Amino acid sequence: GNSVTQMEGPVTLSEEAFLTINCTYTATGYPSLFWYVQYPGEGLQLLLKATKADDKGSNKGFEATYRKETTSFHLEKGSVQVSDSAVYFCALRERSNDYKLSFGAGTTVTVRA
Amino acid sequence: DGGITQSPKYLFRKEGQNVTLSCEQNLNHDAMYWYRQDPGQGLRLIYYSQIVNDFQKGDIAEGYSVSREKKESFPLTVTSAQKNPTAFYLCASSMDTANTEAFFGQGTRLTVV
């Protein structure tokens, strides 16, 4: 079956630090990959996505590259801000009959001023 | 504005009572999903529906029921058979293709006392 493994948190950083959250996946086919962000008490918002190998998704200074050879989709940001404090979820969507979304466990990121 | 709406945001119920959570979308999406989120944990799929009048069990369907009588609506009933119903419930919808992301509601926090 499909699964997503994220680096465990929590992660605490100082403002302007570099952020990396590792994400690897297991899938039977060629899934689409997503990063979602969740702010306290809210639903999930799409941060970025990539739909095929070597695609790079980017948004709000965040980037992630779809690496088929390593089955990875690591999230990076070069200089974090306090407003980036949130929970980040890696997810995949399989190209199969049901197109279900599978999520990682989430990584809590706290950025301190 | 197009979007997905969950109501209510907070819900309190006595143990042993059934309760129904509302989810409505005006995005003309075919697929709708219900997830459960517990503190510090990822999202677990309860039920999903790819088309009106059809739905499938997710990973933790026991103690829950759903209906999909209209494309726009996918209510979730938490029954008295659910042993630990206190959680944050998230509804999502998407086009039924692998490349597209899911859109999430703001969530309903259910507390059973």
Short mmCIF file of all heavy atoms in Angstrom, two decimals, chain A residues 22-69:
data_model
loop_
_atom_site.label_atom_id
_atom_site.label_comp_id
_atom_site.label_asym_id
_atom_site.label_seq_id
_atom_site.Cartn_x
_atom_site.Cartn_y
_atom_site.Cartn_z
N ASN A 22 12.25 16.33 5.92
CA ASN A 22 12.39 15.18 5.03
C ASN A 22 11.07 14.44 4.86
O ASN A 22 10.31 14.29 5.81
CB ASN A 22 13.43 14.21 5.57
CG ASN A 22 14.84 14.77 5.44
OD1 ASN A 22 15.08 15.68 4.69
ND2 ASN A 22 15.76 14.21 6.21
N CYS A 23 10.83 13.97 3.64
CA CYS A 23 9.64 13.20 3.33
C CYS A 23 10.02 12.12 2.32
O CYS A 23 10.59 12.43 1.27
CB CYS A 23 8.54 14.08 2.76
SG CYS A 23 7.12 13.17 2.10
N THR A 24 9.73 10.88 2.62
CA THR A 24 9.90 9.79 1.67
C THR A 24 8.58 9.05 1.55
O THR A 24 7.74 9.10 2.45
CB THR A 24 10.99 8.80 2.12
OG1 THR A 24 10.67 8.31 3.42
CG2 THR A 24 12.35 9.47 2.15
N TYR A 25 8.41 8.37 0.44
CA TYR A 25 7.13 7.73 0.19
C TYR A 25 7.30 6.32 -0.37
O TYR A 25 8.35 5.97 -0.91
CB TYR A 25 6.28 8.57 -0.77
CG TYR A 25 6.85 8.65 -2.18
CD1 TYR A 25 6.50 7.71 -3.14
CD2 TYR A 25 7.73 9.67 -2.52
CE1 TYR A 25 7.03 7.76 -4.41
CE2 TYR A 25 8.26 9.74 -3.80
CZ TYR A 25 7.91 8.78 -4.73
OH TYR A 25 8.43 8.85 -6.00
N THR A 26 6.24 5.56 -0.23
CA THR A 26 6.14 4.24 -0.85
C THR A 26 4.85 4.22 -1.64
O THR A 26 3.78 4.56 -1.10
CB THR A 26 6.10 3.12 0.22
OG1 THR A 26 7.26 3.21 1.02
CG2 THR A 26 6.02 1.76 -0.44
N ALA A 27 4.94 3.87 -2.92
CA ALA A 27 3.75 3.83 -3.76
C ALA A 27 3.96 2.77 -4.84
O ALA A 27 5.08 2.51 -5.25
CB ALA A 27 3.48 5.19 -4.39
N THR A 28 2.85 2.23 -5.30
CA THR A 28 2.95 1.18 -6.32
C THR A 28 3.14 1.76 -7.70
O THR A 28 3.65 1.10 -8.58
CB THR A 28 1.70 0.29 -6.30
OG1 THR A 28 0.54 1.13 -6.42
CG2 THR A 28 1.60 -0.48 -5.00
N GLY A 29 2.72 2.98 -7.92
CA GLY A 29 2.82 3.60 -9.23
C GLY A 29 3.60 4.90 -9.19
O GLY A 29 4.64 4.98 -8.54
N TYR A 30 3.07 5.90 -9.87
CA TYR A 30 3.74 7.20 -9.95
C TYR A 30 2.79 8.26 -9.39
O TYR A 30 2.00 8.83 -10.12
CB TYR A 30 4.11 7.51 -11.40
CG TYR A 30 5.03 6.48 -11.98
CD1 TYR A 30 4.55 5.42 -12.73
CD2 TYR A 30 6.40 6.54 -11.72
CE1 TYR A 30 5.40 4.46 -13.24
CE2 TYR A 30 7.26 5.58 -12.23
CZ TYR A 30 6.75 4.54 -12.99
OH TYR A 30 7.58 3.58 -13.48
N PRO A 31 2.88 8.50 -8.10
CA PRO A 31 1.91 9.40 -7.47
C PRO A 31 2.21 10.86 -7.73
O PRO A 31 3.30 11.22 -8.18
CB PRO A 31 2.09 9.08 -5.98
CG PRO A 31 3.54 8.71 -5.87
CD PRO A 31 3.85 7.96 -7.13
N SER A 32 1.24 11.70 -7.45
CA SER A 32 1.47 13.13 -7.30
C SER A 32 1.80 13.37 -5.84
O SER A 32 1.30 12.69 -4.95
CB SER A 32 0.22 13.91 -7.69
OG SER A 32 -0.04 13.76 -9.06
N LEU A 33 2.65 14.38 -5.59
CA LEU A 33 3.13 14.65 -4.23
C LEU A 33 2.77 16.07 -3.82
O LEU A 33 2.77 16.98 -4.66
CB LEU A 33 4.64 14.44 -4.16
CG LEU A 33 5.14 13.04 -4.54
CD1 LEU A 33 6.66 13.02 -4.61
CD2 LEU A 33 4.64 12.01 -3.54
N PHE A 34 2.47 16.23 -2.54
CA PHE A 34 1.98 17.51 -2.04
C PHE A 34 2.62 17.82 -0.69
O PHE A 34 2.93 16.91 0.09
CB PHE A 34 0.46 17.47 -1.84
CG PHE A 34 -0.33 17.03 -3.04
CD1 PHE A 34 -0.55 15.68 -3.29
CD2 PHE A 34 -0.84 17.95 -3.92
CE1 PHE A 34 -1.26 15.27 -4.40
CE2 PHE A 34 -1.56 17.56 -5.03
CZ PHE A 34 -1.78 16.21 -5.28
N TRP A 35 2.75 19.11 -0.40
CA TRP A 35 3.01 19.58 0.95
C TRP A 35 1.84 20.49 1.35
O TRP A 35 1.48 21.42 0.60
CB TRP A 35 4.31 20.36 1.04
CG TRP A 35 5.51 19.50 1.23
CD1 TRP A 35 6.42 19.11 0.29
CD2 TRP A 35 5.95 18.89 2.45
NE1 TRP A 35 7.38 18.31 0.84
CE2 TRP A 35 7.11 18.15 2.17
CE3 TRP A 35 5.47 18.90 3.77
CZ2 TRP A 35 7.81 17.43 3.14
CZ3 TRP A 35 6.15 18.19 4.73
CH2 TRP A 35 7.31 17.46 4.42
N TYR A 36 1.29 20.20 2.53
CA TYR A 36 0.23 21.02 3.10
C TYR A 36 0.75 21.66 4.39
O TYR A 36 1.63 21.11 5.06
CB TYR A 36 -0.99 20.16 3.45
CG TYR A 36 -1.85 19.77 2.28
CD1 TYR A 36 -1.55 18.64 1.52
CD2 TYR A 36 -2.96 20.52 1.93
CE1 TYR A 36 -2.34 18.28 0.45
CE2 TYR A 36 -3.76 20.16 0.87
CZ TYR A 36 -3.44 19.04 0.13
OH TYR A 36 -4.24 18.69 -0.94
N VAL A 37 0.14 22.80 4.75
CA VAL A 37 0.49 23.47 6.00
C VAL A 37 -0.78 23.68 6.81
O VAL A 37 -1.86 23.95 6.25
CB VAL A 37 1.21 24.82 5.73
CG1 VAL A 37 0.35 25.77 4.91
CG2 VAL A 37 1.63 25.47 7.04
N GLN A 38 -0.67 23.50 8.12
CA GLN A 38 -1.81 23.69 9.02
C GLN A 38 -1.42 24.65 10.14
O GLN A 38 -0.50 24.37 10.91
CB GLN A 38 -2.25 22.35 9.61
CG GLN A 38 -3.49 22.45 10.48
CD GLN A 38 -3.90 21.12 11.08
OE1 GLN A 38 -3.05 20.29 11.41
NE2 GLN A 38 -5.20 20.89 11.23
N TYR A 39 -2.15 25.76 10.23
CA TYR A 39 -1.95 26.71 11.32
C TYR A 39 -2.90 26.32 12.46
O TYR A 39 -3.91 25.65 12.24
CB TYR A 39 -2.20 28.13 10.83
CG TYR A 39 -1.24 28.53 9.73
CD1 TYR A 39 -1.65 28.54 8.40
CD2 TYR A 39 0.09 28.84 10.03
CE1 TYR A 39 -0.75 28.86 7.39
CE2 TYR A 39 0.98 29.17 9.02
CZ TYR A 39 0.55 29.16 7.71
OH TYR A 39 1.44 29.47 6.72
N PRO A 40 -2.59 26.72 13.68
CA PRO A 40 -3.35 26.25 14.85
C PRO A 40 -4.85 26.43 14.71
O PRO A 40 -5.33 27.51 14.37
CB PRO A 40 -2.78 27.11 15.98
CG PRO A 40 -1.39 27.43 15.56
CD PRO A 40 -1.46 27.58 14.06
N GLY A 41 -5.59 25.37 14.95
CA GLY A 41 -7.05 25.41 14.95
C GLY A 41 -7.69 25.51 13.58
O GLY A 41 -8.90 25.74 13.48
N GLU A 42 -6.91 25.34 12.53
CA GLU A 42 -7.44 25.49 11.19
C GLU A 42 -7.31 24.20 10.38
O GLU A 42 -6.70 23.23 10.81
CB GLU A 42 -6.71 26.62 10.46
CG GLU A 42 -6.90 27.98 11.10
CD GLU A 42 -6.26 29.08 10.28
OE1 GLU A 42 -5.80 28.81 9.15
OE2 GLU A 42 -6.23 30.22 10.78
N GLY A 43 -7.92 24.24 9.19
CA GLY A 43 -7.76 23.13 8.27
C GLY A 43 -6.42 23.20 7.57
O GLY A 43 -5.58 24.03 7.88
N LEU A 44 -6.23 22.30 6.61
CA LEU A 44 -4.98 22.26 5.86
C LEU A 44 -5.07 23.13 4.62
O LEU A 44 -6.11 23.20 3.97
CB LEU A 44 -4.66 20.82 5.43
CG LEU A 44 -3.94 19.94 6.45
CD1 LEU A 44 -4.83 19.64 7.64
CD2 LEU A 44 -3.50 18.63 5.79
N GLN A 45 -3.94 23.76 4.29
CA GLN A 45 -3.84 24.54 3.06
C GLN A 45 -2.73 23.95 2.20
O GLN A 45 -1.68 23.58 2.72
CB GLN A 45 -3.48 25.99 3.37
CG GLN A 45 -4.41 26.72 4.29
CD GLN A 45 -3.86 28.08 4.68
OE1 GLN A 45 -3.10 28.68 3.93
NE2 GLN A 45 -4.25 28.57 5.84
N LEU A 46 -2.97 23.90 0.91
CA LEU A 46 -1.92 23.43 0.02
C LEU A 46 -0.77 24.43 0.00
O LEU A 46 -0.97 25.63 -0.18
CB LEU A 46 -2.46 23.26 -1.39
CG LEU A 46 -1.42 22.79 -2.42
CD1 LEU A 46 -1.06 21.34 -2.17
CD2 LEU A 46 -1.94 22.99 -3.83
N LEU A 47 0.45 23.93 0.18
CA LEU A 47 1.63 24.78 0.11
C LEU A 47 2.27 24.68 -1.27
O LEU A 47 2.57 25.68 -1.90
CB LEU A 47 2.63 24.36 1.20
CG LEU A 47 3.90 25.17 1.33
CD1 LEU A 47 3.60 26.64 1.60
CD2 LEU A 47 4.78 24.59 2.43
N LEU A 48 2.48 23.46 -1.75
CA LEU A 48 3.03 23.25 -3.08
C LEU A 48 2.78 21.81 -3.51
O LEU A 48 2.43 20.97 -2.69
CB LEU A 48 4.52 23.59 -3.13
CG LEU A 48 5.44 22.94 -2.11
CD1 LEU A 48 5.89 21.56 -2.55
CD2 LEU A 48 6.68 23.81 -1.85
N LYS A 49 3.00 21.56 -4.81
CA LYS A 49 2.81 20.21 -5.30
C LYS A 49 3.73 19.93 -6.49
O LYS A 49 4.25 20.87 -7.11
CB LYS A 49 1.35 19.97 -5.71
CG LYS A 49 0.92 20.73 -6.96
CD LYS A 49 -0.52 20.39 -7.33
CE LYS A 49 -0.93 21.05 -8.63
NZ LYS A 49 -2.34 20.75 -8.99
N ALA A 50 3.89 18.63 -6.78
CA ALA A 50 4.64 18.20 -7.96
C ALA A 50 3.97 16.94 -8.48
O ALA A 50 3.64 16.04 -7.70
CB ALA A 50 6.10 17.94 -7.62
N THR A 51 3.76 16.88 -9.78
CA THR A 51 2.97 15.78 -10.32
C THR A 51 3.77 14.75 -11.10
O THR A 51 3.23 13.71 -11.48
CB THR A 51 1.84 16.31 -11.21
OG1 THR A 51 2.43 17.07 -12.26
CG2 THR A 51 0.89 17.19 -10.42
N LYS A 52 5.07 15.02 -11.35
CA LYS A 52 5.87 14.00 -12.02
C LYS A 52 7.33 14.15 -11.59
O LYS A 52 7.74 15.18 -11.04
CB LYS A 52 5.74 14.09 -13.53
CG LYS A 52 6.18 15.39 -14.15
CD LYS A 52 5.91 15.36 -15.65
CE LYS A 52 6.50 16.56 -16.34
NZ LYS A 52 5.90 17.83 -15.90
N ALA A 53 8.09 13.14 -11.88
CA ALA A 53 9.49 13.08 -11.47
C ALA A 53 10.26 14.30 -11.97
O ALA A 53 10.06 14.76 -13.10
CB ALA A 53 10.14 11.80 -11.97
N ASP A 54 11.12 14.83 -11.09
CA ASP A 54 11.99 15.98 -11.33
C ASP A 54 11.26 17.33 -11.33
O ASP A 54 11.91 18.37 -11.46
CB ASP A 54 12.77 15.83 -12.63
CG ASP A 54 13.67 14.62 -12.62
OD1 ASP A 54 14.21 14.29 -11.54
OD2 ASP A 54 13.81 13.96 -13.66
N ASP A 55 9.94 17.30 -11.17
CA ASP A 55 9.20 18.56 -11.01
C ASP A 55 9.62 19.22 -9.71
O ASP A 55 9.83 18.55 -8.70
CB ASP A 55 7.69 18.29 -10.95
CG ASP A 55 7.04 18.38 -12.30
OD1 ASP A 55 7.75 18.61 -13.30
OD2 ASP A 55 5.80 18.23 -12.35
N LYS A 56 9.67 20.54 -9.71
CA LYS A 56 9.91 21.28 -8.46
C LYS A 56 8.69 22.13 -8.18
O LYS A 56 8.27 22.94 -9.02
CB LYS A 56 11.14 22.19 -8.59
CG LYS A 56 11.40 23.03 -7.34
CD LYS A 56 12.52 24.03 -7.54
CE LYS A 56 13.86 23.38 -7.42
NZ LYS A 56 14.97 24.38 -7.41
N GLY A 57 8.11 21.93 -7.00
CA GLY A 57 7.02 22.80 -6.55
C GLY A 57 7.60 23.91 -5.70
O GLY A 57 8.57 23.70 -4.97
N SER A 58 7.01 25.11 -5.80
CA SER A 58 7.51 26.22 -4.99
C SER A 58 6.38 27.18 -4.67
O SER A 58 5.45 27.36 -5.45
CB SER A 58 8.64 26.96 -5.70
OG SER A 58 8.17 27.50 -6.91
N ASN A 59 6.47 27.80 -3.48
CA ASN A 59 5.46 28.75 -3.04
C ASN A 59 5.94 29.39 -1.76
O ASN A 59 6.45 28.71 -0.86
CB ASN A 59 4.13 28.03 -2.80
CG ASN A 59 3.00 28.99 -2.48
OD1 ASN A 59 3.02 30.15 -2.87
ND2 ASN A 59 2.01 28.50 -1.75
N LYS A 60 5.80 30.69 -1.65
CA LYS A 60 6.11 31.45 -0.43
C LYS A 60 7.54 31.19 0.06
O LYS A 60 7.79 31.18 1.26
CB LYS A 60 5.13 31.10 0.68
CG LYS A 60 3.69 31.42 0.36
CD LYS A 60 2.77 31.07 1.52
CE LYS A 60 1.33 31.37 1.18
NZ LYS A 60 0.42 31.01 2.29
N GLY A 61 8.46 30.96 -0.83
CA GLY A 61 9.85 30.70 -0.45
C GLY A 61 10.16 29.25 -0.16
O GLY A 61 11.31 28.87 0.04
N PHE A 62 9.13 28.40 -0.10
CA PHE A 62 9.31 26.97 0.10
C PHE A 62 9.51 26.27 -1.25
O PHE A 62 8.93 26.68 -2.24
CB PHE A 62 8.09 26.35 0.79
CG PHE A 62 7.93 26.75 2.23
CD1 PHE A 62 7.19 27.87 2.57
CD2 PHE A 62 8.49 25.99 3.24
CE1 PHE A 62 7.04 28.25 3.89
CE2 PHE A 62 8.34 26.34 4.57
CZ PHE A 62 7.60 27.48 4.89
N GLU A 63 10.32 25.21 -1.24
CA GLU A 63 10.55 24.42 -2.44
C GLU A 63 10.62 22.94 -2.08
O GLU A 63 11.02 22.58 -0.98
CB GLU A 63 11.89 24.80 -3.09
CG GLU A 63 11.95 26.16 -3.69
CD GLU A 63 13.27 26.41 -4.38
OE1 GLU A 63 14.23 25.66 -4.10
OE2 GLU A 63 13.35 27.32 -5.20
N ALA A 64 10.22 22.10 -3.05
CA ALA A 64 10.40 20.66 -2.90
C ALA A 64 10.51 20.06 -4.29
O ALA A 64 9.78 20.46 -5.19
CB ALA A 64 9.23 20.03 -2.14
N THR A 65 11.43 19.10 -4.46
CA THR A 65 11.64 18.47 -5.76
C THR A 65 11.27 17.00 -5.68
O THR A 65 11.67 16.28 -4.76
CB THR A 65 13.11 18.61 -6.20
OG1 THR A 65 13.43 20.00 -6.27
CG2 THR A 65 13.33 17.96 -7.55
N TYR A 66 10.50 16.55 -6.64
CA TYR A 66 10.04 15.16 -6.75
C TYR A 66 11.21 14.31 -7.23
O TYR A 66 11.62 14.39 -8.39
CB TYR A 66 8.90 15.13 -7.77
CG TYR A 66 8.11 13.86 -7.91
CD1 TYR A 66 6.74 13.95 -8.11
CD2 TYR A 66 8.68 12.60 -7.89
CE1 TYR A 66 5.96 12.81 -8.30
CE2 TYR A 66 7.93 11.46 -8.06
CZ TYR A 66 6.57 11.57 -8.27
OH TYR A 66 5.82 10.44 -8.45
N ARG A 67 11.75 13.48 -6.34
CA ARG A 67 12.90 12.63 -6.67
C ARG A 67 12.44 11.18 -6.72
O ARG A 67 12.28 10.53 -5.69
CB ARG A 67 13.99 12.78 -5.61
CG ARG A 67 14.53 14.18 -5.45
CD ARG A 67 15.40 14.57 -6.61
NE ARG A 67 16.06 15.86 -6.38
CZ ARG A 67 16.54 16.62 -7.35
NH1 ARG A 67 16.43 16.23 -8.63
NH2 ARG A 67 17.15 17.76 -7.06
N LYS A 68 12.26 10.69 -7.94
CA LYS A 68 11.77 9.32 -8.10
C LYS A 68 12.82 8.30 -7.67
O LYS A 68 12.51 7.27 -7.09
CB LYS A 68 11.35 9.11 -9.55
CG LYS A 68 10.79 7.74 -9.88
CD LYS A 68 10.16 7.75 -11.25
CE LYS A 68 9.82 6.35 -11.73
NZ LYS A 68 10.99 5.59 -12.12
N GLU A 69 14.10 8.62 -7.95
CA GLU A 69 15.16 7.64 -7.67
C GLU A 69 15.33 7.40 -6.17
O GLU A 69 15.72 6.31 -5.76
CB GLU A 69 16.47 8.09 -8.31
CG GLU A 69 17.03 9.40 -7.78
CD GLU A 69 16.45 10.64 -8.44
OE1 GLU A 69 15.43 10.53 -9.15
OE2 GLU A 69 17.01 11.72 -8.22
#
